[in-house]
Amino acid sequence: MTLVLIIIAFAIAAGLAFMGRGYFAWVAFVAFGLIAWWTGGIDSPTAFKITLGVYVFLAVLFGIPAVRRYVVSAPAMKVVASILPAIGDTEKIALEAGTVWWDGDLFSGNPKWQKFLDFTVNELNEEEQKFMDGPVEELCAMLNDWEIFQTRDLPPEVWEFLKQKRFLGMIIPKEYGGLGFSAAAHSAVVTKISSRSIAAAVTVMVPNSLGPGELLVHYGTKQQKDYYLPRLADGTDIPCFALTEPHAGSDAASGNAKGIVCRGTWEGKEVVGINLTFSKRYITLAPVAGVVGLAFTLYDPDGILGDKKNIGITCALIPKGTPGLITGDRHDPLGIPFMNGTVEGENMFVPIDFIIGGLEQAGGGWRMLMESLAAGRGISLPSLSVGAAEISCRAAGTYALVREQFGLPIGKFEGVRERLGRMAGMAYVMNAARKITASAIDAGEKPTVVSAIVKAYLTEGMRQCMNDAMDIHAGAGISGGPRNIFGRAYTSIPIGITVEGANILTRSLIVFGQGAIRCHPFAYPQVEAIMAKNLSAFDKALFGHINHVAKNAMRSFFFGVFGTMMINVPVNGKEAKHYQRLTRLSSAFALIADFALMTLGGALKRKEYISGRLADAFAWMYLASSALKRFHDEGSPENERPLLDWVMAHALFQIENALIGVLRNLPNRLAAGVASLLAFPLGPRHQPPTDKQVDNAASALLDDDGMVREMLSREIYIPHASSPGFGTLEHALDLINTANPAIEKVKQARRKGEIEKASMPEMATRARDGGIINDGELGAIKAAEAARDDAVQVDRFPKDVYATLR
């Protein structure tokens, strides 16, 4: 009895003391001491003295901060400093550029759901909605993507319309002639245009993303703003931004572009300026740009500006026509005809005041870029991806109702329904993440990690949805021409996957690489304390971290053994279980992430198998929480529940499977075993969506009332019935839905043997002749069947015409 009580008391007191709770360690000692004395467990003065001595030692060592700092934290600080990776200036700037938002809650292991549900997701204001209903609709009606591919450019009238309606100046404040739109509106515009033409969407989104406009708004001098912003807003100057080089793609900070501070002649006067040499590629809008934003490393070898020789990455604006600036050559990005090309210059001279922000921003270019990307990465490509996902979902769902094989709409076949259910679920969660991320940016956040998540995982979602849609459309999907709905967008998928940080890099190095440092509640404070050599701050962060690990270990083990029913969440409906299960996996994720950080240290940077799986888990926690908030904000509609259930089953499986993968591959097998026991004491629990869940999601998409179908595609452009492809397909479904009651009468008559089996128009004629349907119903059936026949046709070309196609 004595030994058992001593062990229990020691464990509790030690745990409390290690968590920095010295006072509670004393309480534990007194409580267990009294119990032991009362039960006769401690019947030896020696045993009591030993127990008391242990408690006093632990309480003093860990419970008194001044003692703890010098005896424990000081040596620990040296050990941690030795295993942490070196953080250079560029990486430090990248880490500090953004803000931590809901991602911090998810990383903590104990997300505050009520705070998240209380967050307001922006709706468009009246002016923004008018723009969507007016100029955006008008633009989409003007676009003929097939013709754009043949001519390799937007038509001149489209270029003029974009400039006239200020599409290129959505982010520029109104006082400079721009639209001054919110991130939510910017995102909505790109989403709708991308459902009509990828080339047009890219043309609109690039000037409103990372580039001269964004950088000038936040960092430009008054003179620069007054001159350039009105010209950018009305399209007088089309901007591009030259960052990528042949040897500096994902590692953009290692570019070879350089500028040497020197004196030279500019417009007849001798001025301090920069001698620039650079070779940039993959620069969107470069062939038509009126002003080039240029990133380069600035050097001052002669000390003209001061003592610092390597000033650092700097951004400057170079007007078209500047002597030595070479633009105009085009790349061919998989045949997608948006403007993209090279920007070059050798020993060209520009004045020093071409630097964005003036001389005081010399060397501040990397910070500018990282701060801008922290927000911009969360808008452009995620919006384009949602547009592609929604048109995939809508058109494939429509096709599954219109196209018949074996006497049935193909949407009745389970192989097709499996793809439809997946597309419906993905479109639902992707748009949820798009909208809430844009709203976070409008609220003043610069969510670096969240932006990386939606860029990488929504573009991957686009790839999945487009693949599924192409599989369903089959031959119609691979036959090029004006009728083809997906082929041109399908070709563009790798572009979205690659730009603004290739997904391979983004997944491993940003989502978890930066996430582990920035979103972890104690990791970066420890790093900062070590860099500042601040023992007190390190002590606070270290024991906060220990407390954090202990809490997550306790929560994870308890939830793993006893289930999630006791987890308190702010909703009471059927969806409460989803919040509870996601909370449990958040706790397991936080625990396993800490085990990976503690056992791998700086080597985790190179263990991309591990960091990639942790990124997958983290990303799907964010996506799943976005779907839960969307469902909550929309009033928990029952017709959306099948989509939510699919999303949550898929997400929970992805999260758990990723974490199990980490544990199976963690090099320190003892740590992996301990983490497995704590996080998954009874093993994994989640499976992919069941057949029933998949079928329910597909049924929701194909339901006769069309409400879910409309809800899943309300952000995209629905063309007129005369528009080849999507327009004719939608028109056919409208006519089929109108004729369906009469069609059912004809089918019923055939089953009864009242008419012989034949084509539907023939059977309908016989049914009319037999008094089964009337003339109006016959007309409706014939119109529907003619439209169905037209909708499933594909394009064909004479040989001489085909030879000219691009």
Side-chain angles (χ1 to χ4, degrees):
M1 183 65 178
T2 302
L3 180 61
V4 171
L5 286 171
I6 288 175
I7 291 173
I8 293 173
F10 180 85
I12 292 176
L16 290 167
F18 265 99
M19 288 186 275
R21 303 293 187 266
Y23 173 76
F24 293 105
W26 276 103
V27 172
F29 159 68
V30 173
F32 271 89
L34 290 174
I35 292 170
W37 189 275
W38 180 65
T39 59
I42 299 180
D43 51 8
S44 164
T46 303
F48 185 82
K49 290 176 183 178
I50 292 172
T51 306
L52 178 62
V54 169
Y55 283 142
V56 170
F57 174 75
L58 289 173
V60 170
L61 184 59
F62 295 105
I64 300 176
V67 175
R68 186 182 66 213
R69 283 191 204 110
Y70 290 97
V71 177
V72 179
S73 297
M77 190 173 178
K78 294 179 181 178
V79 172
V80 174
S82 68
I83 63 175
L84 278 177
I87 297 179
D89 290 340
T90 56
E91 187 174 3
K92 187 173 185 292
I93 289 169
L95 286 170
E96 295 176 347
T99 59
V100 178
W101 179 58
W102 174 241
D103 44 336
D105 274 72
L106 292 172
F107 212 108
S108 74
N110 188 25
K112 303 297 186 291
W113 287 109
Q114 190 61 60
K115 178 183 76 173
F116 186 56
L117 294 181
D118 288 343
F119 178 78
T120 300
V121 175
N122 288 357
E123 298 297 332
L124 304 187
N125 63 35
E126 183 179 356
E127 181 183 3
E128 292 167 342
Q129 189 60 56
K130 283 182 178 179
F131 189 79
M132 292 294 298
D133 297 338
V136 177
E137 284 284 318
E138 190 176 347
L139 171 65
C140 289
M142 295 171 68
L143 296 169
N144 183 320
D145 203 39
W146 171 253
E147 290 184 0
I148 292 169
F149 265 69
Q150 299 312 301
T151 60
R152 314 298 295 149
D153 193 6
L154 301 178
E157 62 270 22
V158 170
W159 276 108
E160 185 57 34
F161 187 80
L162 292 176
K163 296 175 182 179
Q164 178 188 358
K165 298 298 183 181
R166 304 296 200 264
F167 276 88
L168 308 183
M170 288 190 290
I171 65 168
I172 294 174
K174 292 180 180 180
E175 58 263 36
Y176 295 103
L179 296 177
F181 278 177
S182 64
H186 173 192
S187 175
V189 170
V190 172
T191 299
K192 179 161 283 193
I193 299 173
S194 67
S195 70
R196 187 64 168 160
S197 168
I198 294 296
V202 171
T203 301
V204 168
M205 77 188 194
V206 167
N208 293 290
S209 184
L210 174 65
E214 174 86 0
L215 297 177
L216 282 168
V217 168
H218 294 292
Y219 310 104
T221 65
K222 184 179 185 304
Q223 183 179 6
Q224 289 170 341
K225 290 179 179 180
D226 289 345
Y227 177 76
Y228 278 113
L229 289 180
R231 298 171 65 86
L232 295 174
D234 66 12
T236 299
D237 285 334
I238 294 173
C240 72
F241 192 81
L243 176 63
T244 305
E245 302 177 11
H247 300 287
S250 296
D251 186 13
S254 65
N256 292 322
K258 65 179 181 179
I260 308 297
V261 178
C262 61
R263 299 184 187 277
T265 301
W266 183 259
E267 296 180 345
K269 298 180 181 179
E270 182 179 299
V271 297
V272 174
I274 309 167
N275 183 287
L276 290 165
T277 296
F278 53 90
S279 177
K280 304 286 187 174
R281 66 178 182 179
Y282 307 151
I283 311 305
T284 299
L285 296 182
V288 294
V291 61
V292 175
L294 180 70
F296 58 94
T297 302
L298 183 63
Y299 299 92
D300 184 16
D302 297 328
I304 295 174
L305 303 180
D307 295 333
K308 195 173 183 180
K309 305 301 182 184
N310 184 342
I311 295 175
I313 296 173
T314 301
C315 297
L317 292 177
I318 315 296
K320 183 179 180 179
T322 299
L325 179 65
I326 304 170
T327 62
D329 287 351
R330 291 183 67 174
H331 294 304
D332 182 19
L334 291 177
I336 310 302
F338 61 88
M339 291 291 173
N340 185 274
T342 58
V343 178
E344 297 173 311
E346 185 173 358
N347 292 322
M348 59 176 290
F349 180 80
V350 298
I352 200 79
D353 58 11
F354 275 24
I355 293 174
I356 297 176
L359 190 56
E360 67 181 54
Q361 290 293 349
W366 188 246
R367 177 177 53 81
M368 291 182 187
L369 297 177
M370 291 301 99
E371 289 178 350
S372 297
L373 268 176
R377 189 185 268 133
I379 299 174
S380 297
L381 287 168
S383 305
L384 183 147
S385 299
V386 169
E390 288 197 353
I391 193 174
S392 299
C393 191
R394 171 104 181 200
T398 303
Y399 192 77
L401 292 167
V402 171
R403 175 69 165 165
E404 290 187 340
Q405 291 288 275
F406 307 102
L408 292 171
I410 63 172
K412 296 288 187 182
F413 296 98
E414 289 186 351
V416 173
R417 293 174 73 83
E418 181 179 16
R419 305 301 177 90
L420 290 171
R422 179 163 59 195
M423 278 194 290
M426 288 302 299
Y428 185 80
V429 69
M430 287 170 65
N431 198 34
R434 175 192 72 86
K435 291 186 71 173
I436 195 169
T437 303
S439 294
I441 294 168
D442 282 329
E445 299 289 345
K446 292 185 178 180
T448 305
V449 176
V450 164
S451 292
I453 287 173
V454 292
K455 187 276 165 182
Y457 289 81
L458 267 58
T459 53
E460 293 293 345
M462 167 182 67
R463 171 153 52 186
Q464 182 68 70
C465 289
M466 293 294 289
N467 281 340
D468 287 341
M470 288 287 283
D471 285 351
I472 291 171
H473 278 244
I478 62 172
S479 298
R483 290 175 174 267
N484 189 297
I485 301 172
F486 303 122
R488 296 176 294 277
Y490 180 80
T491 305
S492 74
I493 291 171
I495 300 170
I497 298 293
T498 302
V499 300
E500 288 193 1
N503 285 1
I504 291 174
L505 162 89
T506 303
R507 173 178 177 253
S508 299
L509 299 185
I510 300 180
V511 173
F512 187 76
Q514 287 191 17
I517 302 297
R518 288 294 284 128
C519 299
H520 193 292
F522 298 101
Y524 197 55
Q526 289 176 75
V527 171
E528 287 184 308
I530 289 171
M531 289 192 295
K533 298 181 179 179
N534 187 329
L535 180 60
S536 178
F538 178 80
D539 173 79
K540 182 179 179 181
L542 174 65
F543 281 88
H545 195 163
I546 293 170
N547 189 25
H548 173 74
V549 173
K551 286 179 178 179
N552 279 319
M554 196 162 41
R555 274 198 299 265
S556 297
F557 185 77
F558 183 85
F559 298 154
V561 172
F562 298 105
T564 59
M565 293 297 291
M566 294 179 65
I567 298 176
N568 186 37
V569 294
V571 296
N572 298 313
K574 297 176 184 177
E575 63 273 18
K577 63 184 178 184
H578 297 318
Y579 289 81
Q580 292 167 329
R581 291 167 181 173
L582 190 54
T583 298
R584 172 187 171 244
L585 289 179
S586 171
S587 183
F589 166 82
L591 180 68
I592 293 168
D594 267 316
F595 269 77
L597 287 165
M598 288 186 292
T599 58
L600 291 172
L604 184 56
K605 265 189 175 181
R606 301 184 296 277
K607 299 291 185 180
E608 293 181 28
Y609 296 139
I610 299 292
S611 63
R613 292 187 183 98
L614 288 165
D616 292 341
F618 193 25
W620 275 105
M621 286 195 298
Y622 179 72
L623 296 176
S625 64
S626 298
L628 288 172
K629 178 161 174 59
R630 174 178 183 173
F631 189 75
H632 171 271
D633 289 353
E634 293 180 358
S636 306
E638 281 303 312
N639 62 352
E640 294 181 20
R641 191 175 296 279
L643 306 181
L644 179 70
D645 288 343
W646 184 94
V647 168
M648 293 309 300
H650 179 77
L652 294 172
F653 174 73
Q654 294 294 325
I655 297 164
E656 185 177 72
N657 194 50
L659 295 178
I660 294 293
V662 172
L663 294 172
R664 286 175 178 165
N665 292 279
L666 202 62
N668 189 317
R669 300 313 301 151
L670 176 60
V674 173
S676 296
L677 177 64
L678 292 171
F680 303 111
L682 302 182
R685 294 186 176 184
H686 296 288
Q687 297 296 326
T690 64
D691 292 350
K692 184 177 181 180
Q693 288 172 324
V694 171
D695 201 67
N696 287 344
S699 294
L701 176 63
L702 300 177
D703 193 275
D704 288 342
D705 67 12
M707 290 181 64
V708 170
R709 187 167 152 272
E710 291 291 333
M711 177 272 296
L712 286 175
S713 56
R714 58 191 173 209
E715 283 77 22
I716 65 173
Y717 177 72
I718 308 299
H720 187 268
S722 61
S723 179
F726 194 18
T728 55
L729 185 61
E730 286 287 313
H731 178 60
L733 181 60
D734 289 341
L735 294 179
I736 290 167
N737 284 338
T738 300
N740 264 338
I743 291 172
E744 188 54 40
K745 288 181 184 180
V746 174
K747 289 181 176 179
Q748 184 69 21
R750 185 189 64 78
R751 285 193 289 267
K752 290 180 178 179
E754 296 174 359
I755 55 176
E756 293 182 3
K757 183 177 181 180
S759 70
M760 179 54 67
E762 291 174 324
M763 290 192 298
T765 300
R766 294 169 188 168
R768 189 275 313 271
D769 294 344
I772 297 168
I773 62 173
N774 59 37
D775 287 341
E777 290 172 316
L778 174 61
I781 291 174
K782 286 186 174 181
E785 292 305 313
R788 188 196 306 272
D789 180 67
D790 183 45
V792 300
Q793 298 302 316
V794 298
D795 295 288
R796 59 185 186 181
F797 308 94
K799 288 183 179 179
D800 58 333
V801 174
Y802 180 79
T804 66
L805 299 181
R806 296 176 182 267

